[in-house]
Amino acid sequence: MKAIEAWARDLGVNLSAIDLDSIALPASEDFGILSEDKEILQNGDLPELEIGLSNIIVVDNLPVVSPEKYEKLESVVRRNYSKYGAIVYFWMPTDPEKHKTYGCCFLEYSTSQTPAELKPYAPGENLLKWLTDKKARDQFVICAGMFTEVYWNDARQAMPQLVYQKQYWTDSYVQWSPLGTYLATVHRQGAQVWGGDDKFQRLMKFSHPELKLIDFSPGERYLVTYSSHEPTDPRNTHRVVLNIFDVHTGKVMRGFKGSVDDFTTGGSIGVFGVPWPIFRWGGGRDDKYFARLGKNVISVYETETFTLLDKKSLKVENVADFSWSPTDPIISVFVPELCGGNQPAKVSLVQIPGKQELRQKNLFSVSDCKMYWQNNGEYLAVQVDRYRKTKKSIYTGFELYRIKEKDIPIEVFELDNKNDNIIAFAWEPRGHRFAIIHGDAPEPDISFYSVRTPDKAGRVSKLRTIKGRQANALFWCPSGRFIVLAGLKGFNGQLEFYNVDDFETMATAEHVMATDVMWDPTGRYIATAVTSVREMENGFQIWSFNGKQIYKVSKDHFYQFQWRPRQPSLLTPEKEREISENLEMYSKKYKQEDQDVLNQVSEQKRNRRRQFQEEWEGWLAKWKQQHQEEQSCRSSMALWGGEESDEEQVKNEGKEVEVDEIVSVIEETVAFDLDQY
């Protein structure tokens, strides 16, 4: 433009007086003046344009923070990622309702060559592959001696099938995660998690010196590790260290340290001097909250920040115990009597995160309380032990909370004989029934109750009482309906397989000295075990749900058996009901498969027997032939040193016979004088 202005001055033309827009040039005529585009093309100076998102990266798994911590987190992220190049733009999105970040940010670099080169995607181990087993079998893990072994439960073949075996795989014990995705091993240096269906690749290591205990969160997102250490000063108590790890990244999300006394306040002494687990997870499988009991407080933490909920603990004077609902963020809290009974005991239901008290019930003359949540979180049963007026004896009653109903109604009920000792209580999983063992050993009674009646009146009704059973433990089938009444410890392994729908005993059995009873996650099979706490008969047995023994395995120094948990069913309740109603139609296919397996097993046995018979006959024919071939040699006198051959000896061999002959018999009477003796 400057060149044009100079040219106009030389020609004496005033450009300001000319309407340039009114000038029309002939078509395709540029008068030697290049356009800006043509000038750029002619000079070959093309600008570098950034097209797409190749110079932008997303950073995930960041802490979720409030606005006051935004700048600090941005500073940390910029410092860590500036080493790859200059960051020209930073953005961390925020939730407009919660006013907190989403846990991610976007970084824009000056060029696409700046961000780190992406590695090609390599698929990892399929951690759910074992659920696709064509035979629909379940897995279990055992520890015996120095070996840890994973097996398929192959009930059709009436034997376990080894999947994986490793010596010195753990220093103490192993533990499946709640959904069966991982197997954790415990070591002095820390914990490790493994995954797979047959290879069990190591997925992550968690460093924690002198590790003793571990615990998974219900949704498997976090792993809690525990250790205790002797004090240098004998006047002090043991020092406790707790870490909460992210299972996927191995990062420590929060650590806790203190004396044993700090972690046993208000709780009963459990393993290694502490109640375990110290942290109790709540709110279902989303792993949003965990809590622990303290002196006059319940400390509830949220996993978004791993800090105290609302930055303060829930104050509950003289709190003795609490328990989470299995499905909802609701805590049941027990507070015993105070001031010699002038202040009654109480059980409260508290909603989290608002800490709102949903229901409270005062209880008088209370000795102790035990709280039992039903698996679906629909009911809470509170067993209340009360003093009589004389304070010399105790009787028991129950308070039933209907959590899902309006205003959470409470129903009080007692046994027919409220003086009976309560030995065991257990809810039916996914059902509306419960069982109680009550009375005195060695033959207490077992009663079954329902919280639903046919008329839907909403009251507890007794269904049946069976008298005089040698049982002290109840084990409901995971799908309900069936229950094992077990006599462990002093009852020496008595087992009764009971159908609660029909109120009939399907089978009785005995596993001598049994220490454990465990249903598989499908409710088809049961394992009973004698661990090394007993000096004899170590091993396990597998039973069908109706009490038929499938197989038995003996193992020396056997100390652990665990079924591998399964993921929740993907079927809707309606679909499950439809399958149950049409079970005969669905079962035809599997009955035929079972018959085919039985035929195959029978054929295998026949083939094996035939093989043994052929091997025996072949061996016999071989030696007969050799005997015949050597017969000419055996008949030669020279080979026998001038003696007769074996055949000649047989021919000429005499038989010696001893003959006793009675010559005569004389009877004589002899006088016998007793005085001589």
Side-chain angles (χ1 to χ4, degrees), residues 363-367 384-388 393-395 397 399:
L363 305 169
F364 298 90
S365 301
V366 173
S367 167
V384 184
D385 297 334
R386 287 185 169 91
Y387 293 109
R388 296 188 181 277
S393 61
I394 294 174
Y395 68 97
E399 312 257 335

Side-chain angles (χ1 to χ4, degrees), residues 125-126 129-131 133 135 137-142 148-154 159-166 169 176 183 194-201 540 551 555 562-564:
E125 180 76 16
N126 182 357
K129 185 180 177 182
W130 67 280
L131 291 171
D133 179 55
K135 299 179 181 178
R137 297 172 298 180
D138 281 287
Q139 287 187 351
F140 60 82
V141 62
I142 66 170
T148 301
E149 299 167 337
V150 179
Y151 287 92
W152 288 112
N153 173 36
D154 203 333
M159 61 186 297
Q161 179 184 329
L162 183 64
V163 174
Y164 188 82
Q165 180 190 64
K166 192 170 184 179
W169 200 6
W176 294 110
L183 180 66
W194 313 73
D197 68 328
D198 56 359
K199 296 179 182 177
F200 285 92
Q201 302 291 331
F540 63 94
Y551 57 86
K555 287 280 185 180
Q562 269 194 355
W563 290 104
R564 188 171 191 172

